[in-house]
Amino acid sequence: MVSKRDKKRIKKTAFFILVCGLVLFGGRQFILSDIFRIKKVEVETDGNLEKKEIFSLFNSYCKENYLGLRPNLFKLERDSLRRFLLSDVRLLEAKIKKRPLNKIIISVTERKPFAQIGEGLCVDKDGVVFPTQETHTTYLHINSKKRPGDKIDVQELYLVAERIKAFLPKYQINQIRREKGRFFFLIEDAWISVLPKEKELDKKLTQLSVILPTLTKKRFVDLGYNDPILSPHPPFEE
């Protein structure tokens, strides 16, 4: 038999649970109310993409996932939005920050072009092809047509190009070719031939930095030769 004291204790416990439930329910309803519906979207980008393009991506995400309405700040799934943004191959990274009451900050990192491979297409140092409205100063010749999102193996090309830039900071690499297992870089009026894993590359680039300013006409310079000036013609037609 339950004593009066136990009955009172049970009633108090039940009342406490009921109050806690109401508080939690009310708090949840408050958090999910329109007060916290996203109203402000701030975009930060480190490249040439216009902010309105990122806004457009965000609005497309809301259309697909929230019936076109901007979601409640606490309902927004940041990982899902990040994946959606990165479906645009022009973006390398994206971060989303929430700022109460109703603001988010979208920070994007754009892909940086290593070289242009066709009209409106560039490739980054990781070999990812992406569209761009900019014209890059270095053109990479490739043998097949590529589309945005495709990948090209440019890792060794990129590393050699960076070494060349380090030793020849005043010169621009205008074109790059990959022919018969060798790399060819057009610098000024000279095609420079380099093996992918050239031994003593730094030493030969130092030699090239001395030779290049003395050239008075278009030449082919093969760094594999003891005397690069006596190199034969390149194995391709321009």
Side-chain angles (χ1 to χ4, degrees):
M1 186 173 177
V2 181
S3 66
K4 288 183 179 181
R5 182 178 293 177
D6 289 338
K7 286 181 180 180
K8 286 182 179 181
R9 187 182 298 120
I10 291 171
K11 286 180 180 180
K12 286 181 180 180
T13 302
F15 180 75
F16 177 76
I17 293 173
L18 177 61
V19 170
C20 289
L22 290 173
V23 169
L24 290 173
F25 178 77
R28 183 178 184 277
Q29 291 301 105
F30 175 70
I31 287 175
L32 298 181
S33 69
D34 282 346
I35 294 175
F36 295 99
R37 187 177 296 280
I38 295 171
K39 296 178 181 178
K40 299 178 183 178
V41 180
E42 185 177 312
V43 172
E44 299 173 348
T45 179
D46 69 338
N48 297 316
L49 277 179
E50 294 187 20
K51 292 183 179 181
K52 65 181 182 180
E53 296 187 72
I54 308 302
F55 282 120
S56 179
L57 285 171
F58 175 68
N59 290 333
S60 296
Y61 173 78
C62 292
K63 185 176 181 180
E64 286 189 17
N65 295 274
Y66 301 101
L67 301 177
L69 300 174
R70 289 188 175 182
N72 179 285
L73 186 70
F74 296 100
K75 279 189 174 182
L76 177 68
E77 297 181 7
R78 281 184 288 194
D79 287 342
S80 174
L81 174 56
R82 177 180 174 273
R83 288 193 298 270
F84 186 89
L85 293 171
L86 293 182
S87 65
D88 188 321
V89 73
R90 296 174 298 177
L91 301 182
L92 179 64
E93 185 54 271
K95 295 179 180 180
I96 297 92
K97 301 175 184 177
K98 297 180 179 181
R99 294 290 184 267
L101 296 171
N102 46 29
K103 176 182 176 180
I104 63 169
I105 302 172
I106 301 175
S107 302
V108 297
T109 303
E110 299 177 30
R111 292 190 183 278
K112 301 298 185 292
F114 161 53
Q116 190 164 349
I117 61 169
E119 186 175 353
L121 286 179
C122 279
V123 61
D124 70 358
K125 66 182 182 66
D126 297 318
V128 178
V129 177
F130 64 97
T132 179
Q133 295 180 353
E134 306 294 322
T135 300
H136 198 263
T137 53
T138 301
Y139 190 89
L140 171 63
H141 294 265
I142 57 174
N143 297 323
S144 59
K145 189 174 181 180
K146 298 296 181 182
R147 298 179 299 178
D150 288 347
K151 292 205 70 174
I152 305 172
D153 183 10
V154 298
Q155 184 178 15
E156 289 183 336
L157 266 177
Y158 175 77
L159 292 175
V160 174
E162 288 300 296
R163 296 308 300 154
I164 291 175
K165 291 176 185 178
F167 276 83
L168 303 169
K170 296 181 180 180
Y171 292 90
Q172 171 66 45
I173 298 175
N174 299 314
Q175 297 182 44
I176 303 175
R177 288 179 177 269
R178 182 163 35 191
E179 304 279 351
K180 298 183 178 180
R182 299 184 72 88
F183 298 154
F184 299 87
F185 300 88
L186 180 61
I187 304 173
E188 294 289 316
D189 287 328
W191 277 103
I192 312 301
S193 174
V194 184
L195 283 169
K197 295 182 179 179
E198 186 81 65
K199 294 181 179 179
E200 299 182 327
L201 178 59
D202 288 359
K203 180 179 178 180
K204 293 180 179 181
L205 289 176
T206 300
Q207 183 183 13
L208 178 63
S209 68
V210 176
I211 294 173
L212 204 56
T214 67
L215 300 180
T216 57
K217 60 181 181 179
K218 200 160 191 175
R219 300 294 296 269
F220 174 57
V221 178
D222 190 337
L223 296 183
Y225 275 64
N226 291 329
D227 187 346
I229 295 298
L230 300 178
S231 308
H233 293 293
F236 56 82
E237 293 184 4
E238 297 186 54

